[in-house]
Amino acid sequence: MREQDTAAVRADRLRHALVDCAAGRQTGIDAILDSEGGQLLGVARRLLGRHDLAEEALQDAMVQVWRKAAQFDAQTGSARGWVYAILRNRCLNILRDSKRLSVLSPTDLATLQEHRQQVVPTEGWEILAGQSRLRDCLHGLDGQSRHAILLAHVAGFSHAEISTRQDVPLGTIKSLIRRGLLALKECLS
Amino acid sequence: MTDDAQTINALADEYVLGLLSPSEDMLFDALLTHDPALARQIGSLRDRMLPLDLSATPAPLPSDFPARVRGSLPTQDQGSPVAPPNAANRPNAPKNWVPRLIAASLVGAVVGFSGAGLRQAPTPTVVAVLVDANGVPQAVIDDYGNDTANVRFVADIAVPPDRTLQVWTLPSPEMGATSLGTLDRAAATELHFSDLPDPGAQQLYEVTLEPLGGSPTGRPTGPIIGKGFAASQI
């Protein structure tokens, strides 16, 4: 990522890159990777814990970006949010595809799960939200809702996995997350 | 706000967090292409949650990575332009029952109710979202085992008068494609069949367009309306 670029310049470049992709120009993909590639790979690495899986996810995600670029509508949100959502979705599909993960050895699988469990600390979670309005709003949530939301978004855990990890019934976890998100959105708006 | 609208709103939040099942996720993708307001709601929450992604430690891309990605890109299909996303806002917007059907399917899939809600519907053993060649959802199958399944359609499928829709599954390679029933129009239908093993995850389902009365060979012969793999629900 080029730190010196302002957010507006970078947003503009990404929008143009998606237009290029939609028109079949591969320079669009180069521009996205040049601007966001390292950060995108970092997100995949944090979710998947392994460099090979992270690269696979990013490669698949870029193919999806290429295929879907014509559907991107700048009226609905930022190009950046759209690209990261596609990557996250691809990572979650890998995490939830037991067939895909069955090629890993039991040791590798254990390492992967161990890694994911350490992604969201109970103490010092603030580092995950940077200096943002989001961080202030997450502060306002009760600890259990906040932790569940972070486990889902940052570590990619499902409702069932969060329920097991927190030792809280599935229905309770679902309502904790729903209530937390409602409060979060109210604070953010 | 109606209960269904509340459910869709809650699902929208869970969609952003990545908490929907794969079949719900696909239906939601389809719904978003028809519902600009919902797409904006999603985009807004997504952008506000973005700092969480930006806190990941960047990882350097291997130098050959861009070339690898370029090598895996398919040719852009310029022949089928995507409808403008704001089409539904236009005064002459086409019938909007397709998004309503998709939404109803989603709500049904989540709350597990059918009909007036006087009795709780049984949970299907598997659910399959059948998509066309472009990945657009066309139909949803709820297979309950015990030789009973429901098919619902979430797209506008025209059935010519001399054609029949036929629903198929592939219980095993040995059994081959097996008919679950025929329909003369794309309407939600309960299907009853006999002597099939209980369905499992990753089982293939499809709907084809066959000659009037159904396939003459007992196997799919016509164009595929949609196909998809089952996701286990139990």
Side-chain angles (χ1 to χ4, degrees):
Chain A
M1 199 189 337
R2 300 172 180 176
E3 294 295 344
Q4 71 273 24
D5 290 340
T6 65
V9 169
R10 194 161 51 202
D12 210 36
R13 191 187 300 133
L14 272 183
R15 266 201 309 275
H16 283 294
L18 289 182
V19 171
D20 282 342
C21 289
R25 291 188 289 271
Q26 297 193 346
T27 47
I29 290 291
D30 291 338
I32 296 170
L33 287 175
D34 185 44
S35 166
E36 301 287 337
Q39 188 62 40
L40 287 165
L41 189 59
V43 169
R45 182 75 200 266
R46 187 170 67 180
L47 277 164
L48 297 169
R50 290 170 57 100
H51 212 75
D52 54 348
L53 287 180
E55 283 186 25
E56 177 191 322
L58 180 55
Q59 182 165 343
D60 290 351
M62 294 313 290
V63 173
Q64 287 288 311
V65 165
W66 173 257
R67 294 166 68 106
K68 293 182 172 176
Q71 295 169 29
F72 170 68
D73 176 8
Q75 304 290 320
T76 62
S78 73
R80 204 179 194 193
W82 187 79
V83 170
Y84 278 82
I86 288 178
L87 173 75
R88 281 172 39 74
N89 190 267
R90 185 59 212 137
C91 291
L92 295 180
N93 283 345
I94 290 178
L95 282 175
R96 295 185 188 154
D97 180 355
S98 50
K99 220 186 257 178
R100 176 66 190 79
L101 291 181
S102 66
V103 300
L104 299 181
S105 72
T107 319
D108 284 349
L109 206 53
T111 311
L112 187 150
Q113 294 299 357
E114 177 75 11
H115 162 87
R116 288 175 72 210
Q117 303 204 0
Q118 290 164 3
V119 168
V120 180
T122 315
E123 298 290 326
W125 61 267
E126 288 87 348
I127 196 169
L128 297 172
Q131 295 292 334
S132 62
R133 174 93 183 122
L134 176 65
R135 184 172 90 161
D136 300 340
C137 289
L138 281 168
H139 248 301
L141 298 186
D142 70 273
Q144 235 182 348
S145 291
R146 177 175 60 233
H147 197 57
I149 288 171
L150 290 173
L151 283 173
H153 198 286
V154 179
F157 284 112
S158 66
H159 278 132
E161 288 172 316
I162 297 170
S163 152
T164 309
R165 275 177 54 83
Q166 307 252 69
D167 200 18
V168 174
L170 188 58
T172 312
I173 282 295
K174 286 185 176 178
S175 47
L176 269 176
I177 292 180
R178 282 192 179 188
R179 273 209 314 272
L181 282 168
L182 278 177
L184 193 61
K185 284 196 298 184
E186 197 173 319
C187 171
L188 286 165
S189 62
Chain B
M1 193 184 291
T2 66
D3 286 352
D4 283 0
Q6 268 175 353
T7 304
I8 292 289
N9 274 338
L11 285 175
D13 298 345
E14 291 174 5
Y15 174 85
V16 172
L17 249 63
L19 286 168
L20 296 190
S21 71
S23 50
E24 290 164 356
D25 219 52
M26 287 184 76
L27 284 172
F28 221 91
D29 279 338
L31 185 57
L32 287 182
T33 64
H34 293 282
D35 190 337
L38 188 63
R40 279 194 296 275
Q41 184 187 330
I42 299 259
S44 162
L45 181 60
R46 191 181 264 167
D47 282 348
R48 285 171 168 155
M49 300 298 272
L50 197 57
L52 293 176
D53 285 337
L54 302 183
S55 72
T57 309
L61 288 185
S63 56
D64 65 340
F65 191 80
R68 271 193 281 163
V69 172
R70 268 186 259 118
S72 60
L73 297 178
T75 311
Q76 284 294 32
D77 180 10
Q78 304 290 336
S80 55
V82 175
N86 62 345
N89 279 345
R90 292 184 179 162
N92 59 347
K95 48 188 173 268
N96 65 354
W97 57 268
V98 169
R100 286 210 307 272
L101 274 175
I102 299 173
S105 265
L106 265 165
V107 173
V110 172
V111 296
F113 271 83
S114 65
L118 292 174
R119 65 184 172 91
Q120 186 153 13
T123 306
T125 310
V126 300
V127 172
V129 177
L130 312 191
V131 301
D132 67 12
N134 294 318
V136 178
Q138 303 291 312
V140 181
I141 306 270
D142 299 304
D143 195 333
Y144 295 91
N146 294 323
D147 295 328
T148 307
N150 279 336
V151 59
R152 292 169 282 157
F153 292 87
V154 293
D156 184 3
I157 299 165
V159 182
D162 59 343
R163 288 284 183 273
T164 294
L165 289 171
Q166 193 154 8
V167 185
W168 306 87
T169 189
L170 186 69
S172 68
E174 297 74 38
M175 291 183 73
T178 307
S179 176
L180 300 182
T182 57
L183 300 83
D184 53 11
R185 63 193 182 94
T189 306
E190 195 166 287
L191 304 165
H192 297 280
F193 32 93
S194 58
D195 297 334
L196 287 190
D198 278 345
Q202 298 296 315
Q203 185 166 320
L204 179 70
Y205 288 81
E206 68 178 21
V207 173
T208 59
L209 200 57
E210 299 290 342
L212 196 61
S215 164
T217 67
R219 301 284 191 204
T221 62
I224 295 172
I225 300 295
K227 65 177 180 178
F229 292 98
S232 177
Q233 303 296 304
I234 50 175

